[in-house]
């Protein structure tokens, strides 16, 4: 579990995060959503430690990141997996070498052990037969899977995903969402996803934090979005005519049965 308490962050005198507090749970897909400029990327970077807020706490299972020494921070880094917006694979490394990269950085495993772990992770994300290919030789969807395999190579406690569906077609986006959700539950990770993809929100949003102009406006589940009394959230989530129609249907019909049917139950 990760908790942020009273986080404040400013740049050049302008406050970007206003006293943000939120809890992100293990074994659940935790989403940070909001319009561009809402502060969601700054919040995620603050949680990871890439940005240091002026005040507040970032608690990893009760221990404040902002008070850790360099040794403690390095240990924490080895427990974190990152899935970047553009996959961020190394063009000069093969698929297998990309997945092995964090193992080389953070472990003392032998080459045989690293290869075995990397192959396991690739199999877990349903990637086969491309170990010796380079990122440019595989599709965007496959690149994203390789990036997920690399992110879980160290068997992390925490997984951060920055716009994981960026640049992907709708069908592939659903596959990636479901894969991240399955892995989160399988390894009981604390997964935090920064997204503005409403399909992701409706598909895997178990704990959603909505930011608006640097303020935490709302927290809830994908089911609770439909009955939330928050104008800013409503304008953001149901901006398209499609989602407006979905909301009308869900409110009129049965909310629980809608999500059961959506998940194929």
């Amino acid at each position: 579990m990760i908790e942020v308490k009273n986080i404040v962050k400013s740049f050049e005198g302008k406050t970007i995060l206003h006293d943000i507090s939120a809890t992100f749970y293990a074994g659940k897909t935790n989403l940070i959503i909001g319009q561009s400029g809402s502060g969601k990327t700054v919040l995620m970077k603050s949680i990871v430690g890439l940005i240091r807020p002026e005040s507040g706490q970032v608690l990893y299972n009760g221990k404040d990141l902002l008070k850790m020494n360099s040794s403690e921070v390095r240990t924490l880094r080895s427990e974190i997996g990152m899935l970047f917006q553009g996959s961020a694979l190394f063009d000069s490394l093969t698929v297998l070498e990309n997945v092995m990269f964090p193992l080389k950085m953070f472990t003392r495993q032998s080459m045989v052990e690293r290869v075995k772990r990397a192959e396991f992770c690739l199999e877990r994300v349903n990637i086969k037969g491309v170990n010796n290919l380079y990122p440019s030789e595989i599709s965007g969807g496959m690149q994203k899977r390789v990036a997920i395999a690399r992110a879980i190579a160290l068997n992390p406690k925490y997984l951060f995903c920055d716009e994981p569906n960026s640049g992907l077609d709708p069908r592939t986006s659903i596959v990636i969402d479901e894969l991240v959700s399955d892995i989160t539950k399988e390894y009981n990770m604390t997964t935090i996803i920064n997204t503005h993809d409403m399909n992701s929100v409706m598909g895997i949003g178990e704990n959603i934090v909505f930011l608006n102009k640097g303020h935490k406006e709302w927290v809830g589940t994908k089911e609770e979005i439909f009955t939330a009394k928050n104008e800013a959230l409503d304008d953001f989530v149901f901006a398209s005519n499609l989602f407006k129609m979905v909301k009308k249907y869900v409110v009129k019909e049965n909310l629980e049965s809608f999500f059961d049917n959506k998940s194929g139950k």
Side-chain angles (χ1 to χ4, degrees):
M1 182 172 73
I2 298 174
E3 298 174 90
V4 295
K5 295 185 177 181
N6 310 113
I7 293 295
V8 175
K9 180 60 185 175
S10 302
F11 291 102
E12 299 179 348
K14 181 180 179 180
T15 302
I16 305 300
L17 299 178
H18 299 262
D19 197 33
I20 302 292
S21 296
T23 302
F24 304 97
Y25 301 96
K28 289 188 176 182
T29 46
N30 302 274
L31 274 58
I32 302 173
I33 67 172
Q35 296 179 354
S36 297
S38 63
K40 60 183 186 293
T41 298
V42 175
L43 178 58
M44 177 174 277
K45 288 183 176 180
S46 297
I47 297 172
V48 176
L50 297 176
I51 291 176
R52 188 174 184 87
E54 279 82 30
S55 60
Q57 295 177 295
V58 179
L59 304 174
Y60 282 78
N61 290 330
K63 193 163 186 178
D64 191 356
L65 167 64
L66 304 179
K67 294 182 179 179
M68 292 182 184
N69 59 40
S70 58
S71 177
E72 291 172 322
V73 170
R74 180 174 174 80
T75 298
L76 178 62
R77 293 271 188 247
S78 70
E79 298 175 339
I80 290 176
M82 290 290 302
L83 178 59
F84 299 96
Q85 183 172 345
S87 297
L89 299 177
F90 297 106
D91 294 335
S92 60
L93 300 181
T94 65
V95 165
L96 186 65
E97 289 169 340
N98 264 283
V99 180
M100 290 169 57
F101 185 79
L103 297 171
K104 184 177 181 179
M105 283 190 64
F106 290 103
T107 76
R108 296 182 178 179
Q109 293 179 352
S110 67
M111 175 62 78
V112 173
E113 290 172 323
R114 294 200 298 269
V115 169
K116 184 177 181 180
R117 174 62 183 172
E119 288 177 339
F120 170 83
C121 291
L122 286 167
E123 289 176 4
R124 178 60 190 82
V125 300
N126 300 316
I127 290 285
K128 296 179 180 179
V130 299
N131 289 11
N132 296 320
L133 297 181
Y134 291 89
S136 61
E137 298 176 304
I138 60 178
S139 68
M142 291 184 76
Q143 288 179 22
K144 197 71 70 170
R145 290 189 188 215
V146 173
I148 295 173
R150 183 178 63 184
I152 65 172
L154 292 170
N155 195 21
K157 294 180 181 178
Y158 314 98
L159 178 63
F160 293 89
C161 306
D162 183 23
E163 298 288 358
N165 294 331
S166 177
L168 300 180
D169 63 83
R171 185 182 294 275
T172 304
S173 294
I174 292 172
V175 171
I176 296 301
D177 280 344
E178 291 177 348
L179 180 57
V180 170
S181 179
D182 289 345
I183 289 173
T184 295
K185 292 175 174 56
E186 182 177 338
Y187 298 107
N188 196 39
M189 293 186 298
T190 301
T191 295
I192 301 179
I193 303 169
N194 180 359
T195 186
H196 63 264
D197 186 342
M198 288 305 102
N199 289 313
S200 297
V201 173
M202 299 305 176
I204 61 172
E206 295 178 291
N207 178 45
I208 303 165
V209 177
F210 171 61
L211 299 185
N212 183 40
K213 298 179 181 178
H215 296 270
K216 186 185 75 175
E217 284 270 351
W218 181 87
V219 176
T221 66
K222 61 185 180 183
E223 293 86 357
E224 292 169 337
I225 278 181
F226 289 94
T227 54
K229 305 298 181 182
N230 186 293
E231 185 176 348
L233 176 69
D234 208 50
D235 288 343
F236 175 69
V237 174
F238 302 107
S240 73
N241 290 330
L242 173 60
F243 281 112
K244 286 177 182 176
M245 292 173 60
V246 170
K247 181 178 181 179
K248 288 181 180 179
Y249 170 80
V250 170
V251 171
K252 182 179 179 181
E253 302 297 332
N254 185 283
L255 185 67
E256 183 177 349
S257 64
F258 171 77
F259 280 103
D260 283 347
N261 291 334
K262 194 173 186 299
S263 61
K265 295 181 181 178

